[in-house]
Amino acid sequence: MAACTSKNSDIQEIILEEVPLSIRETDSIVVANLINQSQTYYNNNITTATAFDEYLKEAEDIALKNNFKVPLSNIYHLVSKRHRNRSEYGIAIQYATKALDLGKEINDQSLLSNYLNMAAVIYRRVDENSQAMELHMQALEIAESINDSFQVGIAYNGVGNVYLGLARFRAAMQYFKKSFEIAEVRGNVLGQAINANNIGEALKNLGQLDSALVYFYQSLDYNTQIDSEVGQAICYNSIGDTYRLKKDYTQALKYLKRALVLNEKTRDRINVSSSYTILGETYLQVYDYDNAITNLKEGLAIAEDIGSKYQIEICARLLADAYEKVNNLKASLAYLKISQAYKDSIFNEENLRHIEVMTAKNEADRAKSQIQQLHSETNLQKELISQQKKAIIYFAFFIIALIAATVLIYRQTRLKEGYKSILMQQRLLRSQMNPHFIFNALSAIQVFILENDMENSSRFLSDFARLMRQVLRSSQREYVTLEEETGMLNYYLKLQQLRFVQPFSYNIKFDKEIDPKNTLIPPMITQPFVENAVEHGLKSLEKNGLVEIRFSIKKNNLLIEIEDNGIGLAGSKMAKENGVKHESMAVQITNERLQVIEKVTKRPTSFVMIDQHMVTADKSGVLIKIEIPIIKPDSEFNSENKKTVKLYKN
């Protein structure tokens, strides 16, 4: 059930010099009156009136002659909505597209947001969920930019319905509740009726039948207040189906018959088909096979006429069951074949909708390929340096054997090459972490792609692209600023938050003495332990997780602390023994990196890993402490980094 609007807009017009202004003003009033007359006539003759009646045709003719874009778009939108409510979706999409095209030409963002939301409803009705989601998200973005809470609420409801169609019931319920809250604040009874019913549907699908009935009756009360027969029919269907699931078939048949009467009166044929289908299924459950077959055939005929593949598949499957019960195996097999054919068709169409997601995945694969290429180049450089090193050593021994005076030159040369080798070792150690991190990030994206979660896939890929740019940039440098390091951590943790079903939060804190823009740190020194905290500590946690990263000054050194409230080292070890295997190289690689830093800076470093439960019984999780020298951009230890940055920027 989707919200709709008849939001009035000021008539925008292009002044034509050859037409007197008074005539145009009169024509604009005539167009508005014709639209109002059409709405009155249609509402009073809903079962017999045509969607594009004579009032609207005359209004269209005048609007076209005067280039009245706003009223013309309203006419097409109104016609589209009428065809949609009659389940004539092909024609509805044609007029919705016309309204949208005009809406993009008009400088009225609220009107455009409305048209986008309403077009999305049509695509939802024909199970084109990816297209519907795209339109609702466009409408939401526009509505939020102009603070139009009415259209924001409609967009939330639409996104909830898309998730409902994808069987993501808990996600759907969250969006319906957001939409309900907006409708309640605005005093929009129709919006409250719609969202209460939608929440009930989500609860029904989750098996919470008593809670679902509470929301269905609440929705019925709202619809009765505004005298909405369409809304009442939907509520009766929902209540009847819920009683059927509770096996209270007397109550179920009572409400389902009420729904059928109202649906036939309003001519919303998709709901008529749905009423017949649910009635048929209920009769099937009480062993009244004749009534079951009669109602299911009625529902199937309407579904075939309006082209609803989903309804056809359900009716055919239930008819196959009904005929099997009366031992008419030939008819049962025929309907079973129909059901399977439409089930395969629906499946194939869903596969086509994956194309856009797969395109995004290919982009991610290309990024991965670039990382692998960089890794290969690093290995090649390592081999070249190794060969150069051997050549220098052989040459030095040869020089020593010939001329003793060359010893000093040889030692200086070796020290210089040794320093370069140490820097290269640090780069190579850092590069060992990148593929592991990239693999986990791409695995997270794959989860959303497999779940067909368009919203989170899009958001995940966008954040992932930003993160990859920073990772690629940092891989060329020996040091990055604390601001850049925490920026990468922010992107990484946001990606992990999208990925996790169990929510967790994180904090990044600095001592007031620290200037993040002017303090350097080896790139990605913290990321492996943050990843361990999330993957090992919080993943199996049954409560809200927390990761905290702190930077402080300790005796002229930079102290980095990574703390989580997860299951701790002992719990992580037990999880591995129970089959949750995730091997981490973080400790080994970090110790090697710290050794390199000690050699370069001639200053001590330290690394400590503490299982907090072993120290304090009432605490859980792991605390990592890393202590390194404080390095500023103008430090002598950053001279090589400055060269690298300069080369990278050029």
Side-chain angles (χ1 to χ4, degrees):
M1 188 172 182
C4 54
T5 180
S6 58
K7 182 177 176 63
N8 294 322
S9 300
D10 293 332
I11 296 176
Q12 299 178 6
E13 49 197 53
I14 299 174
I15 305 300
L16 302 177
E17 293 181 0
E18 65 271 25
V19 180
L21 183 60
S22 60
I23 296 176
R24 288 177 57 77
E25 288 178 339
T26 302
D27 283 346
S28 69
I29 294 171
V30 170
V31 170
N33 286 335
L34 286 169
I35 293 173
N36 288 333
Q37 285 179 297
S38 173
Q39 289 178 302
T40 301
Y41 176 77
Y42 188 84
N43 290 335
N44 292 333
N45 301 275
I46 195 168
T47 59
T48 58
T50 58
F52 204 163
D53 57 34
E54 295 302 319
Y55 295 108
L56 291 183
K57 288 179 180 178
E58 186 175 345
E60 179 194 32
D61 185 55
I62 298 172
L64 285 170
K65 288 178 180 178
N66 290 276
N67 199 25
F68 292 158
K69 292 184 179 180
V70 173
L72 189 60
S73 68
N74 283 332
I75 291 168
Y76 293 145
H77 170 66
L78 186 58
V79 174
S80 172
K81 187 171 69 172
R82 290 175 181 178
H83 282 295
R84 182 201 72 197
N85 289 339
R86 294 180 177 184
S87 305
E88 296 163 354
Y89 300 121
I91 303 174
I93 288 173
Q94 291 176 16
Y95 282 105
T97 303
K98 286 184 177 183
L100 264 178
D101 291 341
L102 285 168
K104 291 172 183 176
E105 298 177 19
I106 302 167
N107 189 25
D108 187 335
Q109 296 299 298
S110 181
L111 194 68
L112 178 58
S113 177
N114 176 42
Y115 291 165
L116 286 165
N117 273 320
M118 294 304 100
V121 173
I122 303 170
Y123 283 104
R124 286 207 324 260
R125 291 282 186 94
V126 292
D127 302 319
E128 288 289 346
N129 289 316
S130 61
Q131 182 66 27
M133 178 67 83
E134 181 180 347
L135 292 172
H136 279 311
M137 294 307 293
Q138 289 178 24
L140 180 60
E141 183 178 358
I142 292 171
E144 287 180 334
S145 70
I146 59 174
N147 295 319
D148 187 339
S149 62
F150 183 71
Q151 292 300 329
V152 169
I154 294 174
Y156 278 147
N157 176 271
V159 173
N161 272 293
V162 172
Y163 278 129
L164 199 64
L166 296 171
R168 299 284 296 276
F169 304 120
R170 288 183 174 84
M173 197 155 48
Q174 294 306 311
Y175 279 97
F176 292 143
K177 287 181 178 179
K178 288 181 180 179
S179 184
F180 183 91
E181 289 170 2
I182 292 173
E184 191 173 31
V185 171
R186 291 179 57 90
N188 179 4
V189 180
L190 175 60
Q192 292 173 272
I194 290 166
N195 286 290
N197 186 272
N198 291 151
I199 294 169
E201 285 294 335
L203 288 167
K204 184 180 75 173
N205 281 286
L206 288 170
Q208 300 176 29
L209 302 181
D210 290 330
S211 297
L213 281 173
V214 171
Y215 279 98
F216 289 143
Y217 280 117
Q218 184 180 358
S219 178
L220 180 60
D221 180 57
Y222 288 134
N223 279 297
T224 303
Q225 289 178 37
I226 59 177
D227 197 26
S228 171
E229 292 184 336
V230 172
Q232 291 174 54
I234 291 173
C235 290
Y236 286 144
N237 250 342
S238 299
I239 293 169
D241 190 44
T242 307
Y243 277 120
R244 180 185 63 81
L245 294 172
K246 288 170 67 68
K247 302 187 186 305
D248 187 345
Y249 299 115
T250 302
Q251 286 288 88
L253 290 170
K254 169 186 169 183
Y255 282 100
L256 292 174
K257 288 176 181 178
R258 288 183 185 178
L260 179 58
V261 171
L262 286 177
N263 281 327
E264 288 180 327
K265 183 178 178 182
T266 59
R267 293 177 64 184
D268 191 340
R269 300 178 72 204
I270 187 67
N271 284 329
V272 174
S273 176
S274 177
S275 284
Y276 277 120
T277 303
I278 300 173
L279 268 172
E281 187 173 6
T282 305
Y283 279 121
L284 192 61
Q285 289 177 315
V286 296
Y287 312 110
D288 188 346
Y289 301 125
D290 289 339
N291 273 323
I293 291 170
T294 300
N295 281 277
L296 289 171
K297 281 186 174 180
E298 289 284 352
L300 178 61
I302 296 170
E304 289 175 336
D305 191 40
I306 63 176
S308 175
K309 296 179 180 180
Y310 180 75
Q311 280 295 117
I312 293 171
E313 190 277 327
I314 293 175
C315 290
R317 173 163 44 83
L318 291 172
L319 278 167
D321 290 343
Y323 276 113
E324 183 182 5
K325 298 294 185 183
V326 296
N327 294 320
N328 189 340
L329 300 182
K330 182 178 179 181
S332 175
L333 181 60
Y335 281 111
L336 187 61
K337 288 180 178 178
I338 294 172
S339 172
Q340 189 60 47
Y342 276 94
K343 186 176 182 180
D344 293 341
S345 175
I346 293 168
F347 178 77
N348 290 334
E349 289 181 2
E350 288 175 349
N351 284 339
L352 290 176
R353 293 197 289 269
H354 284 287
I355 291 175
E356 184 179 348
V357 178
M358 294 306 296
T359 300
K361 182 178 183 297
N362 289 335
E363 292 294 330
D365 289 340
R366 274 200 292 272
K368 181 181 179 182
S369 177
Q370 290 175 354
I371 297 298
Q372 290 174 339
Q373 184 178 355
L374 289 173
H375 184 63
S376 299
E377 290 175 359
T378 302
N379 288 334
L380 179 60
Q381 290 176 0
K382 178 182 177 182
E383 183 64 27
L384 290 173
I385 290 171
S386 177
Q387 293 175 4
Q388 290 174 358
K389 198 174 179 181
K390 289 179 182 179
I392 291 170
I393 292 173
Y394 294 148
F395 179 75
F397 275 114
F398 175 75
I399 293 297
I400 289 173
L402 293 176
I403 305 172
T406 59
V407 172
L408 180 60
I409 299 173
Y410 163 73
R411 289 183 61 189
Q412 291 175 339
T413 302
R414 187 174 180 186
L415 285 172
K416 182 178 179 181
E417 293 300 323
Y419 178 71
K420 291 181 178 179
S421 176
I422 288 171
L423 292 177
M424 185 55 63
Q425 288 178 37
Q426 185 168 351
R427 289 181 182 176
L428 294 174
L429 288 171
R430 186 170 66 252
S431 71
Q432 293 180 46
M433 291 184 286
N434 291 346
H436 180 232
F437 164 67
I438 300 301
F439 174 79
N440 282 342
L442 289 174
S443 297
I445 296 175
Q446 186 182 33
V447 171
F448 285 113
I449 293 173
L450 293 175
E451 290 185 354
N452 198 24
D453 189 339
M454 303 303 297
E455 181 187 8
N456 282 329
S457 293
S458 176
R459 191 183 306 168
F460 204 118
L461 284 170
S462 176
D463 286 345
F464 179 71
R466 294 191 185 99
L467 180 59
M468 286 307 307
R469 283 196 293 271
Q470 290 202 17
V471 171
L472 286 171
R473 182 178 179 183
S474 69
S475 68
Q476 300 292 323
R477 300 161 62 186
E478 306 304 329
Y479 295 95
V480 296
T481 65
L482 265 180
E483 185 180 57
E484 292 171 315
E485 176 76 356
T486 55
M488 285 190 287
L489 285 178
N490 266 314
Y491 280 127
Y492 172 76
L493 286 165
K494 285 180 181 177
L495 294 176
Q496 290 287 43
Q497 283 180 326
L498 282 173
R499 218 184 115 212
F500 270 51
V501 175
Q502 182 70 27
F504 74 91
S505 56
Y506 69 93
N507 293 317
I508 300 177
K509 298 180 179 179
F510 300 91
D511 272 6
K512 60 182 179 180
E513 299 89 356
I514 295 176
D515 181 1
K517 293 182 179 179
N518 291 302
T519 304
L520 300 182
I521 185 174
M524 296 184 74
I525 193 77
T526 56
Q527 188 275 335
F529 299 103
V530 173
E531 181 174 354
N532 282 349
V534 174
E535 293 290 342
H536 296 288
L538 306 183
K539 195 168 187 178
S540 303
L541 199 63
E542 295 181 355
K543 61 181 180 180
N544 289 347
L546 174 65
V547 178
E548 193 167 278
I549 303 103
R550 300 184 292 270
F551 299 90
S552 58
I553 302 296
K554 179 183 178 183
K555 297 181 181 178
N556 295 322
N557 279 348
L558 179 65
L559 175 62
I560 306 167
E561 296 175 292
I562 301 109
E563 183 177 9
D564 65 81
N565 65 341
I567 59 175
L569 295 176
S572 177
K573 183 178 180 182
M574 186 179 300
K576 288 182 180 180
E577 292 173 353
N578 291 334
V580 181
K581 297 182 179 179
H582 179 87
E583 187 173 345
S584 174
M585 298 289 292
V587 175
Q588 176 186 341
I589 291 174
T590 301
N591 277 321
E592 291 176 7
R593 292 184 75 183
L594 293 178
Q595 290 174 13
V596 171
I597 292 171
E598 284 188 356
K599 289 179 182 179
V600 172
T601 63
K602 307 298 182 184
R603 289 166 63 181
T605 64
S606 69
F607 170 82
V608 180
M609 181 185 294
I610 303 170
D611 192 342
Q612 300 194 92
H613 182 69
M614 303 300 293
V615 178
T616 307
D618 60 348
K619 291 196 72 174
S620 64
V622 176
L623 173 62
I624 302 294
K625 292 186 177 182
I626 302 172
E627 193 172 337
I628 60 174
I630 296 175
I631 299 176
K632 298 293 182 180
D634 56 351
S635 168
E636 61 177 309
F637 306 117
N638 190 38
S639 59
E640 184 68 14
N641 191 43
K642 288 179 181 176
K643 295 176 186 177
T644 305
V645 173
K646 184 177 181 181
L647 289 172
Y648 179 83
K649 288 182 177 178
N650 289 338

